[in-house]
Amino acid sequence: MSRPLTARQQHVFDFIVKTMGEFGYPPTRAEIAKALGFRSPNAAEEHLRALERKGVIRIIRNTSRGIRLPNQEPQDLLDSAVTTLPAANIEAAPAGLPVIGEVAAGSPILAAEHIDRYCPLPAEYFTPKADYLLRVRGLSMKDIGILEGDLLAVHRTDRVRDGQIVVARLEDEVTVKRFKRQGHQVTLFAENPDFAPIEIDLRSQPLDIEGVGVGVIRGGNGQALG
């Protein structure tokens, strides 16, 4: 850090760290502006550029959540390509995070037949650590930058909080949505106005949480984004 942060810059930086710790990805400019009382996302952008000049964050241009912390940038690993899993010997899989493709109805998400390949990123690259990468299908989460063909880094847990991005199993379907619960009622929200929320009554409908999203790899090519 070349110069100390101003009080306002420190508030912005603390909010970024808090958001990444809770949800696994950084906030948008609009979310920073709303949380800290700025008049517009442009004011948030000015503070982000100041933080970048002081060396405490790195900004990925043209990305709504393109904020990274310098100590989360193992570039040598990010530049590595996703490796293909040898078809004849699943037990001899290379090190790294398994990439899950199509999930067969009713079978465990980490079943060997679902693993397409391995990505040479350590689990600890994400916070909390990732257990697997799930290939995204469709555009229901496009407004927060989770696009068709991306790899969603997932931390395996069934303990989730309102607002988190979850991998949920609804009977035989696995879906990625934003989670909210009120009593026995769970709502899974898409981040695309073309998709209606999914309403689940836990008293009569099954719901299994396979994990929470902790990061995105754009297009599955090894370029990790926030």
Side-chain angles (χ1 to χ4, degrees):
M1 185 186 307
S2 57
R3 289 172 289 167
L5 304 183
T6 66
R8 203 57 163 155
Q9 290 166 1
Q10 187 66 54
H11 291 160
V12 173
F13 180 74
D14 290 344
F15 180 70
I16 292 169
V17 173
K18 177 177 180 290
T19 301
M20 294 178 75
E22 289 184 357
F23 301 111
Y25 49 80
T28 64
R29 276 70 169 166
E31 289 167 349
I32 294 172
K34 181 179 179 181
L36 300 181
F38 297 152
R39 292 184 178 179
S40 73
N42 288 337
E45 177 69 24
E46 292 177 7
H47 285 291
L48 291 176
R49 292 184 183 278
L51 290 174
E52 184 179 43
R53 288 193 297 271
K54 293 183 176 182
V56 297
I57 67 169
R58 188 171 76 83
I59 297 175
I60 301 172
R61 309 300 175 192
N62 303 316
T63 304
S64 65
R65 297 184 185 273
I67 303 169
R68 303 297 296 175
L69 302 180
N71 62 0
Q72 294 182 327
E73 294 290 345
Q75 194 61 46
D76 54 333
L77 290 169
L78 294 183
D79 290 338
S80 299
V82 174
T83 59
T84 301
L85 175 65
N89 189 1
I90 291 175
E91 290 76 17
L97 293 172
V99 176
I100 307 300
E102 297 291 339
V103 178
S107 62
I109 201 165
L110 278 174
E113 62 267 24
H114 300 160
I115 299 175
D116 287 345
R117 55 186 66 88
Y118 280 76
C119 180
L121 280 174
E124 293 75 15
Y125 176 73
F126 302 94
T127 303
K129 71 175 184 177
D131 293 289
Y132 61 92
L133 303 171
L134 180 67
R135 187 169 296 282
V136 175
R137 307 294 180 187
L139 294 172
S140 67
M141 303 300 285
K142 73 178 183 66
D143 288 354
I144 57 169
I146 303 176
L147 308 178
E148 172 87 29
D150 288 350
L151 297 178
L152 179 69
V154 182
H155 172 68
R156 292 190 73 185
T157 181
D158 59 3
R159 302 181 64 180
V160 298
R161 300 186 300 274
D162 283 358
Q164 287 187 303
I165 303 301
V166 302
V167 176
R169 185 187 293 271
L170 309 172
E171 296 182 343
D172 291 337
E173 178 187 2
V174 172
T175 186
V176 177
K177 295 291 184 289
R178 191 179 295 279
F179 178 92
K180 183 178 181 180
R181 179 174 180 174
Q182 290 184 313
H184 296 291
Q185 192 73 24
V186 169
T187 305
L188 300 177
F189 291 96
E191 293 287 350
N192 181 338
D194 295 335
F195 291 78
I198 300 171
E199 302 286 351
I200 300 137
D201 187 332
L202 297 177
R203 293 170 297 185
S204 59
Q205 296 172 278
L207 172 67
D208 294 309
I209 301 299
E210 299 279 1
V212 298
V214 294
V216 176
I217 298 179
R218 175 65 68 238
N221 62 5
Q223 181 183 4
L225 301 181

